[in-house]
């Protein structure tokens, strides 16, 4: 009899929250079947402040784990999400969730460090990173860097007194506001957990641990949707939506970050010149069909912004179909879709 085996990608999560501020965003944990047969699982929380969705599923899936800190006093809380699969090996498994609630403060507090395109954990050297929290900057409602702040092609490491270090190295600050920063991660050969620190006019945040990876591919999305921003080549019209679907035979440009090193290598913190190509072409699938990739390069005049050119074959599925990228085994988040219509 086929024997399923329960696999849970992460067994520990941490959330940080300042009393009276906005609750941190949910975090995702992947579930998969490392055995054979059919895996049917359920997930449940043991704490009133901790929730998980969905509560059950079949096969691979993603748990969205979130917190509701209202009414909790400043302290450190520990809860658990138990994932069970009847008849499966390695079941049950537990995800330990630590919530640290701090009293109100004027010092910057980091509640999340995520990929700047997917808003999921996992960042890469030179990729775009979004930092969420409170008191991250005194500039409200927020602003991006000005052209005058890019000097001789070098990107700014501080805006209005706000700066960021990742693994002890200065990041390059594009956008600042009290609740969100967008930065380019510095060049770094390290992988694994690294320290992220925000300084706002001499006040420094506590260290927040982020996962630095060799690659963290993600497509830039239209706000609040699962639709990636896709351009039609050569006119660069936006396509891939229900009002402007793509078609078999179209050459498409996908806009992304975290697609790995280039050849020649391109350091973070400078405006890109030329169009340095990724050292290895990524694998792009639409539905279950692998797409021919003609180019994957950093965009000239930008920083950390990749453009990937694919051509949809005649065999491409039509309708609302999933699109995903793989770089050296690292996958872009599931659930991203484009609309493809027959000619």
């Amino acid at each position: 009899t086929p024997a399923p085996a329960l696999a849970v990608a992460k067994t520990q999560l941490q959330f940080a929250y300042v009393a009276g501020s906005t609750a941190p965003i949910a975090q995702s944990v992947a579930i998969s079947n490392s055995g054979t047969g059919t895996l049917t699982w359920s997930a449940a929380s043991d704490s009133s402040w901790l929730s998980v969705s969905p509560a059950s599923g079949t096969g691979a899936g993603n748990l969205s784990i979130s917190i509701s800190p209202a009414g909790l006093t400043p302290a450190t809380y520990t809860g658990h999400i138990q994932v069970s699969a009847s008849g499966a090996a390695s079941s049950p498994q537990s995800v330990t969730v630590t919530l640290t609630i701090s009293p109100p403060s004027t010092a910057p507090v980091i509640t999340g460090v995520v990929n700047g395109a997917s808003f999921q954990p996992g960042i890469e050297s030179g990729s775009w990173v979004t930092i969420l929290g409170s008191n991250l900057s005194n500039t409200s409602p927020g602003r991006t860097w000005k052209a005058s702040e890019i000097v001789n092609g070098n990107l700014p490491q501080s805006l209005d007194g706000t700066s960021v270090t990742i693994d002890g190295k200065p990041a390059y600050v594009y956008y600042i506001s009290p609740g969100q920063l967008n930065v380019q991660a510095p060049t770094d050969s390290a992988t694994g957990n690294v320290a992220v620190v925000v300084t706002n006019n001499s006040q420094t945040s506590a260290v927040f641990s982020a996962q630095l990876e060799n690659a963290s591919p993600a497509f830039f999305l239209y706000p609040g949707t699962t639709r990636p921003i896709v351009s039609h080549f050569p006119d660069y019209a936006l396509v891939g939506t229900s009002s402007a679907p793509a078609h078999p035979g179209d050459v498409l440009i996908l806009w992304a970050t975290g697609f790995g090193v280039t050849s020649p290598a391109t350091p973070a913190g400078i405006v890109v010149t030329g169009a340095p190509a990724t050292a290895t072409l990524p694998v792009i699938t639409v539905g279950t069909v692998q797409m021919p990739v003609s180019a994957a390069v950093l965009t000239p005049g930008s920083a950390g912004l990749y453009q990937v050119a694919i051509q949809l074959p005649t065999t491409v599925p039509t309708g609302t179909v999933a699109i995903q990228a793989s770089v050296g085994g690292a996958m872009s988040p599931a659930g991203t879709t484009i609309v493809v219509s027959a000619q």
Side-chain angles (χ1 to χ4, degrees):
T1 302
L6 176 64
V8 177
K10 299 176 185 176
T11 58
Q12 292 187 338
L13 295 177
Q14 62 170 344
F15 290 87
Y17 171 73
V18 176
S21 65
T22 302
I25 62 172
Q27 298 187 39
S28 178
V29 173
I31 293 176
S32 60
N33 182 3
S34 60
T36 57
T38 301
L39 179 75
T40 301
W41 51 267
S42 61
S45 166
D46 67 357
S47 302
S48 60
W49 54 267
L50 180 62
S51 60
V52 59
S53 177
S56 61
T58 300
N62 283 293
L63 298 178
S64 178
I65 298 174
S66 57
I67 66 164
S68 300
L72 298 180
T73 58
T76 298
Y77 299 83
T78 302
H80 303 86
I81 300 295
Q82 180 160 292
V83 186
S84 305
S86 179
S90 303
S91 173
Q93 293 194 43
S94 181
V95 180
T96 300
V97 181
T98 302
L99 168 62
T100 301
I101 300 180
S102 304
S105 169
T106 58
V109 175
I110 302 173
T111 59
V113 177
V114 293
N115 184 294
S118 68
F119 277 72
Q120 295 294 320
I123 62 175
E124 181 213 337
S125 165
S127 70
W128 283 105
V129 177
T130 293
I131 299 172
L132 303 170
S134 58
N135 301 321
L136 301 178
S137 170
N138 296 338
T139 300
S140 182
R143 74 171 181 94
T144 60
W145 64 37
K146 303 171 185 175
S148 61
E149 292 167 321
I150 301 173
V151 180
N152 297 324
N154 296 306
L155 308 181
Q157 296 179 356
S158 175
L159 293 180
D160 298 352
T162 291
S163 59
V164 176
T165 60
I166 298 177
D167 195 24
K169 302 171 178 61
Y172 303 93
V173 185
Y174 168 72
Y175 173 79
I176 56 173
S177 71
Q180 178 176 324
L181 307 176
N182 291 344
V183 305
Q184 187 189 25
T187 299
D188 196 341
S189 60
T191 57
N193 289 327
V194 295
V196 179
V197 177
V198 172
T199 299
N200 178 9
N201 289 281
S202 301
Q203 294 197 78
T204 301
S205 72
V207 168
F208 190 94
S209 181
Q211 185 71 20
L212 188 63
E213 302 171 347
N214 286 324
S216 181
F219 300 117
F220 285 101
L221 308 176
Y222 291 104
T225 76
T226 60
R227 296 276 195 268
I229 299 172
V230 180
S231 299
H232 179 271
F233 186 82
D235 59 5
Y236 283 86
L238 296 176
V239 295
T241 62
S242 55
S243 59
H247 300 93
D250 283 355
V251 176
L252 305 180
I253 304 296
L254 311 172
W255 304 95
T257 194
F259 271 57
V261 297
T262 60
S263 180
T266 306
I270 63 171
V271 176
V272 173
T273 57
T278 57
T280 306
L281 280 179
V283 175
I284 307 293
T285 55
V286 176
T288 58
V289 179
Q290 183 172 327
M291 299 293 105
V293 178
S294 56
V297 302
L298 279 173
T299 304
S302 73
L305 175 64
Y306 293 80
Q307 49 180 299
V308 182
I310 64 173
Q311 183 167 22
L312 300 181
T314 57
T315 55
V316 67
T318 56
T320 299
V321 291
I323 182 168
Q324 200 163 21
S326 173
V327 178
M331 302 291 294
S332 65
T336 304
T337 60
I338 64 172
V339 178
V340 181
S341 176
Q343 292 283 12

